[in-house]
Amino acid sequence: MGGRLRRDVMLWVSPGRLEAEGSTPDFRFSLANERTFLAWIRTALALVAGGLAVDQFLTGLAQLPRTVLAVALLAGGALCAVRAVHHWARCERAMRRGEPLPASRFPALLALGTALASLLIAVALVFGPNR
């Protein structure tokens, strides 16, 4: 497992290594893969902004729950950014090799985590100490 992870991470920082993987796919597929990567990065930035907003604007909420929510959103943003580059490299490699694109559970986990964070923030707003 460690060797595979190391190889995957090396693809993130050295995209030239991808050229050794199979043949060059149709550029439209590579560009679509890049657009998907950028969408994941926008999602990561939104989670980071949400974490900062929770910390700065939910001042009526006790410090501990506010910090937990903010850190959870910030960690989700960091995880989403790392997952974005990992998924980009895996898809690019699969396309170059003529393999099926890799399946991922991450979108479902991200959706559930975002829904949970939203519900917790809504509860905090409705039942917070200033209500």
Side-chain angles (χ1 to χ4, degrees), residues 7-124:
R7 280 193 317 270
D8 285 349
V9 170
M10 290 307 294
L11 290 177
W12 304 355
V13 296
S14 180
R17 289 176 181 250
L18 280 172
E19 293 176 8
E21 302 276 343
S23 60
T24 303
D26 184 326
F27 68 91
R28 292 172 293 182
F29 299 122
S30 290
L31 291 173
N33 190 29
E34 186 174 316
R35 285 190 301 274
T36 302
F37 165 78
L38 293 172
W40 283 103
I41 292 298
R42 285 191 300 272
T43 301
L45 288 170
L47 288 168
V48 168
L52 292 172
V54 163
D55 183 59
Q56 293 299 305
F57 298 120
L58 285 182
T59 55
L61 189 60
Q63 183 67 36
L64 181 62
R66 188 172 85 210
T67 300
V68 167
L69 281 171
V71 169
L73 288 167
L74 291 168
L79 181 62
C80 191
V82 169
R83 183 65 179 121
V85 71
H86 183 66
H87 189 70
W88 169 83
R90 290 176 62 213
C91 287
E92 195 67 28
R93 182 174 51 208
M95 288 187 301
R96 294 183 74 80
R97 291 177 173 177
E99 298 172 352
L101 294 179
S104 176
R105 291 184 189 99
F106 189 74
L109 295 173
L110 180 63
L112 291 173
T114 303
L116 179 61
S118 298
L119 289 173
L120 290 174
I121 292 168
V123 166

